[in-house]
Amino acid sequence: MALTADQVPIIMAAGAAALGLAALLWALRVSDGARGAARKYRDRSAELETTLAAHRSILGAHPGVILVWQGEALEAEGDDIIPPEMYGSPVALAGLLSFTDDAISPDPAVRIIEGLADLEARDSAGHDTTLRIRLRELRETGQAFSLTIIGPSGRFLEADGRTAGARAVVWVSDATIKGLEESSARGKLEEARQVIARDPTAFLDMLGKAPFPAWRMSGMGKLQWVNPAYIEAVDGTNLDRVLDRQLMLDQATADQARKTISEGIDIDETRHITINGARRAMRILTFPLSGGAGAMALDVTAQEDAREELNRHVRAHDETLNHVADAVAIFGADRKLTFYNKAFRDMWDLDESFLLDRPGHGQLLDRLRERRKLPARANYAEWRAEELSYYLDIDGVKEDTWSLPDERTLSVTRQRHPMGGLLLLFKDITGELELQTQFNAIVKTQSSTLDNLHEAVAVFGGDGRMKLHNNAFGRLWSLSDDMLKDQPDYDDVVEECIPLFHDTEIWAAMKSHITDPSAKARQSTTGEMRRSDGSILTYLTHPLPDGNTLIAFADVTATRRVESALRERAEAFEAADRLKTEFVRNVSYQLRSPLTVIFGYAELLETQRNGDLTERQKDYVSAILSASDHLSKLIENILDLAMIEAGRMDLDLEDVDLASVIEESIEMVVSKAEDTQIAVRSDITGQLGLIRADERRIRQILFNLVSNSLRFTDSGGEIVISAQRMGDMVTFSVRDNGRGLEADKRATSFDSFVSGDQRGAGLGLALVKHFVDLHGGTVGMKPVDGGGLEVTCWLPAQAMRAVSAQRELLLSENVVPS
């Protein structure tokens, strides 16, 4: 169809409109793409800004210095130190620069490396190495390391090296520092921002190589990113698993991060977390970031263990002080009470609540002053200021004494406390002062006592000088007061004594006991001096506990004269006793010879068959025989007594059947007992067995006891001989129901020649006592209820063969021959 002229403009206009519309649509499309791209770039920029902010905060929180080598620095060979890029807080940098005294490079990073490169170090396996060697291995082979560097003054540094892409990163921190202040940890924030702005990916890689867990959380409290150390800590296998499952170190850490997000504050807390099956103390740092929060976890187990150990020591120290008798109070550097023991509270009678409020030192003094417990001071304010000034200028230990209003006296000691502040020690010395006063009084009393002694006393020190003397010493040796004052030397004193006693050897021996400190010389000695004036002295040297030596002199002149007179008198008595003994023996012998003749002829007359004797004559002969027998026994007793008193009688010991001896003794007196119509019987308890004794003397003991009872018992009476054995002792007694003895006569009944009824010679009981004594036994007498007397002998079952005690004494004095 052909176009008309009218249609052509219309078609051209329509084409132009279509073309314009198409152009408009194209322009609109292009404009939307540009805006989309811009929006995309803005979103990416915001994301990068968020990542940059996170990296900035994490970098600023690191408590050390970070050294980074990249590019050409990694290609350097050998041990040459190439300057690295350095990031960290000024505090950490200043601390590490203290190791660089010998470094010469002006670059701080190089100075740190030079200062640490050759120090002693150990790796995680305990092998010795150096930082220089491990840096070379890190640059050349990428081998990571973790070192502990031993610095001067006991400081320890931790150095961890890792590769991050085409970079080598080393973290260096001072392990002896417990933690950095927040401001110090952020001291290089602006510099960190510049590093992250230049290369945020490199910083992320570097943080990913950090040896401690680090992570980021979104504004909703969800994990967005974690480093490998975090993955290992939560046993998450890989990043995807950790993010998918939102594995947290623990719930408290997650709550801490959410609090940081909600309140926009940095939080630094330390808590115990189980990591890789081990309970570790972790310092958790959380800080706000754009759109969320960042966090780091630093292992401070060693520091916490050290702190806990320190706390245990402090508690043990406090517990020890609580058991100390003296009062102890410790004030901190802020002058507030940080510790007090029970003795302190009791000494000042302070309320527990007041002390628990940690009052200041000045406040405590004011409280004590209000309660009138402090010493009275004319200017309390000045004294109080002086007490508080010890916090500023105390040097060493300051001590003084307080006299309290309640009459107590305290010794007060002040000294610097190792942890800062002041330590006060209060000791109640009231009792000590009283003891000192008493001691001084005792010393004065002793001095007065010494001055009133008749014996001369002097005390010399180890240096030979006189320390003490009494008045008698000066009088005895005619020494003047001027000579004895001012502690004269021993030699000077002896020089004045020589005219009275000139034996220099004895004086020299005394001096050796004074000045010689050996154990052999420090012994007590005694001796005697005969002086030129005729007097006799005894002397004593005795070492004293304090190292001094006491010398004492006693004038025994009169005593020696008395001893001589007594000795002469004793010799005269001994001679008289010997004469008496010899006289008795001779007289007894002379009496026995005619007595034997009389006794023989009387027996002859009694048996005479040539002519019967009249009854009267028989009575005469019987009387002669009885008197002769009595006189014979009396002579025997006198001889025995003389032998005993002369110490010449010994025992003839043998095994004796005591029961048989008792029965035989009864038979010996039975005829006489029948004549007097007195019953005699035995009462033996148990088995007596054999005893070791002198049978003849045992028979004499029994015979004399029974004879004594017969004399004091009337017709129709009874005599009982009892015996029993008790272990190693044997007892036998003779009991009668006769007239008995008065108490005053019983007291002397065992004396020689003392008769209870004046009818006998008084030798029977005396011989009994002597024979019992020879056997090592004892004898006693007591009245019997209803009348009568009982004499009991206690004898050992095994008498020892020995001479009598009296003879031993005489032998020891060489009075009789042995």
Side-chain angles (χ1 to χ4, degrees):
M1 178 176 171
L3 298 174
T4 66
D6 295 332
Q7 291 177 328
V8 172
I10 294 173
I11 292 174
M12 291 179 64
L19 180 61
L21 179 61
L24 178 60
L25 292 175
W26 174 256
L28 290 174
R29 181 177 181 182
V30 172
S31 176
D32 290 340
R35 286 194 297 269
R39 186 167 54 252
K40 180 179 180 180
Y41 289 139
R42 284 196 301 271
D43 293 343
R44 176 59 175 167
S45 177
E47 183 180 354
L48 291 177
E49 284 292 337
T50 301
T51 303
L52 178 62
H55 295 168
R56 288 172 180 170
S57 299
I58 294 173
L59 178 62
H62 187 269
V65 171
I66 302 174
L67 305 174
V68 182
W69 287 268
Q70 56 184 341
E72 296 179 356
L74 292 176
E75 298 175 359
E77 297 181 356
D79 293 334
D80 294 337
I81 298 176
I82 306 302
E85 298 179 16
M86 181 176 65
Y87 317 105
S89 68
V91 175
L93 177 61
L96 293 176
L97 286 176
S98 63
F99 292 89
T100 64
D101 293 340
D102 298 331
I104 60 176
S105 174
D107 189 316
V110 176
R111 290 182 63 191
I112 290 175
I113 298 300
E114 289 180 347
L116 305 179
D118 297 315
L119 292 177
E120 181 182 357
R122 292 183 178 86
D123 59 18
S124 58
H127 300 142
D128 293 336
T129 183
T130 63
L131 179 60
R132 186 185 300 277
I133 295 173
R134 292 310 177 95
L135 283 175
R136 184 178 66 246
E137 295 174 350
L138 178 65
R139 293 203 317 264
E140 294 176 355
T141 65
Q143 181 176 347
F145 63 83
S146 293
L147 301 179
T148 298
I149 301 174
I150 305 174
S153 304
R155 295 177 63 186
F156 293 89
L157 302 177
E158 298 292 340
D160 295 275
R162 303 287 189 276
T163 58
R167 297 168 183 81
V169 185
V170 176
W171 290 266
V172 182
S173 60
D174 191 343
T176 58
I177 301 177
K178 294 183 179 179
L180 301 173
E181 297 293 336
E182 188 66 23
S183 59
S184 299
R186 309 284 184 189
K188 296 288 285 182
L189 182 57
E190 289 302 321
E191 184 178 352
R193 286 197 183 112
Q194 296 174 10
V195 176
I196 297 173
R198 289 198 303 267
D199 195 349
T201 304
F203 180 77
L204 187 61
D205 291 341
M206 180 175 63
L207 192 60
K209 297 296 184 178
F212 51 83
W215 66 99
R216 171 183 167 81
M217 298 183 71
S218 68
M220 300 301 293
K222 300 294 185 180
L223 284 175
Q224 290 182 321
W225 174 88
V226 299
N227 69 347
Y230 183 97
I231 297 173
E232 182 180 357
V234 299
D235 195 19
T237 308
N238 53 53
L239 177 60
D240 293 337
R241 184 172 182 270
V242 172
L243 297 180
D244 290 344
R245 298 190 178 186
Q246 291 291 302
L247 298 178
M248 298 291 183
L249 289 178
D250 67 347
Q251 185 59 42
T253 301
D255 294 340
Q256 178 179 333
R258 293 188 183 97
K259 183 177 180 181
T260 294
I261 294 171
S262 63
E263 299 182 10
I265 59 174
D266 293 354
I267 300 178
D268 183 350
E269 293 184 355
T270 300
R271 66 174 58 89
H272 287 84
I273 302 174
T274 301
I275 296 178
N276 295 329
R279 183 175 171 81
R280 312 294 295 175
M282 304 298 291
R283 180 185 175 194
I284 309 299
L285 305 172
T286 58
F287 35 85
L289 296 176
S290 177
M296 298 168 54
L298 305 176
D299 190 341
V300 292
T301 304
Q303 292 91 324
E304 288 299 312
D305 290 345
R307 181 181 292 109
E308 182 62 27
E309 182 68 19
L310 176 61
N311 291 335
R312 283 196 295 270
H313 281 292
V314 171
R315 288 194 297 270
H317 177 264
D318 292 349
E319 186 64 23
T320 301
L321 291 180
N322 262 329
H323 290 83
V324 173
D326 298 334
V328 179
I330 300 175
F331 294 88
D334 57 356
R335 301 186 182 181
K336 289 188 176 296
L337 183 66
T338 60
F339 172 80
Y340 64 92
N341 64 354
K342 296 177 181 177
F344 178 84
R345 181 195 61 198
D346 297 339
M347 172 178 285
W348 299 111
D349 191 21
L350 294 170
D351 296 335
E352 192 78 26
S353 58
F354 172 74
L355 296 174
L356 292 177
D357 287 340
R358 298 187 61 215
H361 194 168
Q363 184 181 358
L364 178 64
L365 293 177
D366 294 340
R367 173 63 66 91
L368 294 177
R369 181 171 180 260
E370 292 173 2
R371 303 181 65 179
R372 298 179 57 81
K373 292 182 176 295
L374 289 181
R377 303 293 180 184
N379 191 336
Y380 170 73
E382 181 179 343
W383 177 81
R384 182 179 184 274
E386 181 181 353
E387 286 293 316
L388 297 180
S389 67
Y390 288 124
Y391 287 90
L392 303 176
D393 59 0
I394 190 170
D395 182 16
V397 178
K398 300 293 184 181
E399 296 182 355
D400 64 358
T401 302
W402 289 4
S403 297
L404 304 185
D406 59 2
E407 298 184 354
R408 287 184 301 169
T409 303
L410 303 184
S411 173
V412 184
T413 303
R414 311 166 189 83
Q415 68 179 36
R416 287 278 190 185
H417 193 269
M419 304 300 291
L422 199 65
L423 181 145
L424 298 181
L425 178 67
F426 300 90
K427 182 177 182 181
D428 190 341
I429 59 173
T430 308
E432 294 181 12
L433 294 179
E434 292 178 354
L435 290 176
Q436 184 176 0
T437 302
Q438 295 176 4
F439 173 77
N440 293 334
I442 291 173
V443 170
K444 292 180 180 179
T445 302
Q446 289 178 341
S447 299
S448 178
T449 302
L450 289 177
D451 286 338
N452 287 279
L453 288 177
H454 293 293
E455 292 79 5
V457 176
V459 176
F460 290 87
D463 56 356
R465 305 196 72 86
M466 181 182 288
K467 305 298 182 182
L468 179 69
H469 71 281
N470 64 352
N471 295 332
F473 181 79
R475 291 195 303 266
L476 184 65
W477 293 101
S478 302
L479 301 175
S480 65
D481 293 339
D482 292 338
M483 193 273 158
L484 292 176
K485 70 179 182 180
D486 299 332
Q487 297 186 350
D489 187 74
Y490 176 83
D491 293 334
D492 297 334
V493 175
V494 170
E495 186 176 353
E496 297 292 327
C497 299
I498 286 292
L500 287 173
F501 184 74
H502 58 272
D503 191 339
T504 56
E505 292 184 1
I506 292 181
W507 291 117
M510 283 188 184
K511 184 176 182 179
S512 67
H513 291 292
I514 294 172
T515 58
D516 189 349
S518 65
K520 182 178 181 180
R522 301 289 293 170
Q523 300 291 332
S524 296
T525 60
T526 58
E528 189 171 279
M529 295 179 171
R530 293 184 176 272
R531 300 198 303 181
S532 58
D533 61 357
S535 61
I536 302 174
L537 306 183
T538 59
Y539 67 87
L540 164 72
T541 67
H542 184 74
L544 300 178
D546 58 357
N548 296 329
T549 302
L550 179 142
I551 300 180
F553 299 90
D555 189 343
V556 295
T557 307
T559 304
R560 289 289 184 268
R561 291 172 181 171
V562 172
E563 287 179 356
S564 177
L566 291 176
R567 187 178 297 107
E568 293 174 356
R569 184 177 179 182
E571 291 174 354
F573 279 133
E574 290 173 3
D577 187 67
R578 284 195 298 271
L579 289 175
K580 180 195 71 174
T581 302
E582 293 298 327
F583 172 77
V584 170
R585 292 180 61 187
N586 290 333
V587 169
S588 298
Y589 175 77
Q590 296 298 329
L591 289 175
R592 187 180 299 175
S593 295
L595 181 62
T596 303
V597 174
I598 295 172
F599 191 75
Y601 281 114
E603 286 184 338
L604 180 63
L605 289 174
E606 185 180 30
T607 57
Q608 181 65 38
R609 298 300 182 186
N610 297 326
D612 295 330
L613 296 176
T614 64
E615 291 297 326
R616 190 178 185 87
Q617 290 174 336
K618 290 180 180 180
D619 291 339
Y620 291 157
V621 172
S622 177
I624 293 172
L625 288 173
S626 177
S628 299
D629 182 66
H630 178 72
L631 183 59
S632 176
K633 286 183 173 59
L634 182 61
I635 293 173
E636 289 293 333
N637 288 340
I638 291 174
L639 287 177
D640 286 342
L641 187 61
M643 292 289 289
I644 291 173
E645 291 182 350
R648 295 178 177 273
M649 178 171 287
D650 296 333
L651 297 178
D652 185 12
L653 299 180
E654 58 183 333
D655 292 335
V656 177
D657 185 350
L658 184 59
S660 299
V661 171
I662 292 174
E663 296 298 335
E664 292 174 3
S665 298
I666 293 176
E667 292 177 0
M668 289 176 60
V669 298
V670 69
S671 60
K672 186 175 182 179
E674 289 177 351
D675 295 340
T676 57
Q677 297 180 353
I678 297 174
V680 180
R681 65 181 179 87
S682 63
D683 182 13
I684 299 175
T685 303
Q687 295 293 326
L688 299 180
L690 299 178
I691 65 171
R692 190 74 174 168
D694 188 329
E695 183 175 351
R696 177 187 172 191
R697 302 308 175 187
I698 296 297
R699 291 180 183 276
Q700 283 184 266
I701 291 172
L702 289 170
F703 180 80
N704 287 336
L705 290 178
V706 174
S707 297
N708 185 72
S709 293
L710 286 172
R711 193 166 70 248
F712 286 91
T713 304
D714 297 332
S715 297
E718 182 184 43
I719 298 175
V720 180
I721 303 176
S722 302
Q724 63 177 334
R725 185 164 187 155
M726 296 180 294
D728 295 335
M729 296 295 294
V730 174
T731 65
F732 59 86
S733 62
V734 177
R735 184 180 72 251
D736 61 65
N737 55 2
R739 297 183 300 276
L741 282 177
E742 294 82 359
D744 57 340
K745 293 184 178 180
R746 289 199 301 272
T748 59
S749 59
F750 291 103
D751 294 342
S752 301
F753 302 103
V754 176
S755 175
D757 56 358
Q758 305 300 322
R759 293 165 53 191
L763 295 179
L765 292 181
L767 286 174
V768 168
K769 183 177 185 305
H770 285 303
F771 291 151
V772 171
D773 289 342
L774 287 175
H775 281 81
T778 58
V779 61
M781 177 185 296
K782 68 177 182 179
V784 178
D785 295 340
L789 199 67
E790 181 178 8
V791 181
T792 303
C793 300
W794 292 268
L795 297 177
Q798 298 290 327
M800 301 298 294
R801 179 184 296 275
V803 296
S804 66
Q806 182 180 7
R807 189 180 183 194
E808 286 184 349
L809 177 62
L810 294 174
L811 287 174
S812 65
E813 296 179 352
N814 295 321
V815 174
V816 297
S818 59

